[in-house]
Amino acid sequence: MLANNLPTFHRWFMAGGVTAAPGILLHGDPLLPAGISAAVARHLNEFDEDSQGNWIAFTPELIQAISEAPAQRGLLGLEDSCRNCPPGSLCGRRKVLAALASRGNVVLDGPLAVEACAPFANVFRVSLGPAPGESPTFHLVLCPELFHERSMPAIIGDTYLEWMAAREMADTV
């Protein structure tokens, strides 16, 4: 699912709380195919039985709108965190992206999301093309030119599900 307006964000927010499912981070600017975040979320909504259809991706415009509205930031626990930031600043958007990643069941993309998710160990990281050298390790690195664009969401989603299953097994041993 792609969230491109506040009502969609609110439905997703109300559908579930912070989950055990971490977020997914896609890097690859400018190689990231348009709509891939939403396609990965749709794939996971179909095949991740534990998510109850709550995977979502956000448009940059919606991230901006959430970062500019104190009430929306408040939903994510960011009431006063951007007091000194101008509305819609990179700082505010970075904090929104970090809060969404912490909540889970979200597919984020872009360089700002890479920065925002850097401190999180439980985010599944995918790079389409060479991974940035200064970033945390990526779990999956794909050469987009070697795959058909339609197959990448399934490859990413299925690899994420395998990664989660391995994490869950390790926690029970």
Side-chain angles (χ1 to χ4, degrees):
M1 173 185 351
L2 179 65
N4 58 6
N5 57 45
L6 290 173
T8 305
F9 165 61
H10 294 149
R11 279 192 300 278
W12 170 79
F13 185 83
M14 297 302 289
V18 176
T19 69
I24 296 175
L25 172 66
L26 303 178
H27 171 269
D29 211 33
L31 300 173
L32 216 55
I36 192 165
S37 296
V40 171
R42 279 191 307 275
H43 180 82
L44 288 169
N45 282 334
E46 184 174 347
F47 294 102
D48 181 5
E49 296 169 0
D50 296 334
S51 76
Q52 300 174 354
N54 284 329
W55 279 97
I56 195 165
F58 292 86
T59 63
E61 295 80 15
L62 183 55
I63 297 295
Q64 174 100 15
I66 294 168
S67 75
E68 291 175 348
Q72 306 310 318
R73 288 193 320 264
L75 287 174
L76 296 171
L78 301 172
E79 291 99 2
D80 295 329
S81 65
C82 297
R83 184 178 305 166
N84 298 324
C85 302
S89 70
L90 288 180
C91 171
R93 287 183 283 168
R94 191 178 298 111
K95 289 178 181 178
V96 166
L97 289 163
L100 292 170
S102 294
R103 189 171 173 80
N105 286 107
V106 62
V107 182
L108 303 172
D109 64 49
L112 195 58
V114 172
E115 287 179 40
C117 295
F120 301 125
N122 70 334
V123 171
F124 183 74
R125 291 172 172 79
V126 178
S127 183
L128 300 179
E134 69 280 354
S135 294
T137 304
F138 282 77
H139 299 93
L140 178 63
V141 178
L142 295 172
C143 296
E145 64 276 2
L146 300 178
F147 294 94
H148 192 281
E149 199 171 295
R150 287 183 302 191
S151 67
M152 284 193 283
I155 292 168
I156 293 166
D158 292 346
T159 304
Y160 164 81
L161 291 173
E162 289 294 328
W163 176 75
M164 276 301 294
R167 287 172 42 119
E168 290 169 2
M169 285 178 27
D171 289 343
T172 61
V173 175

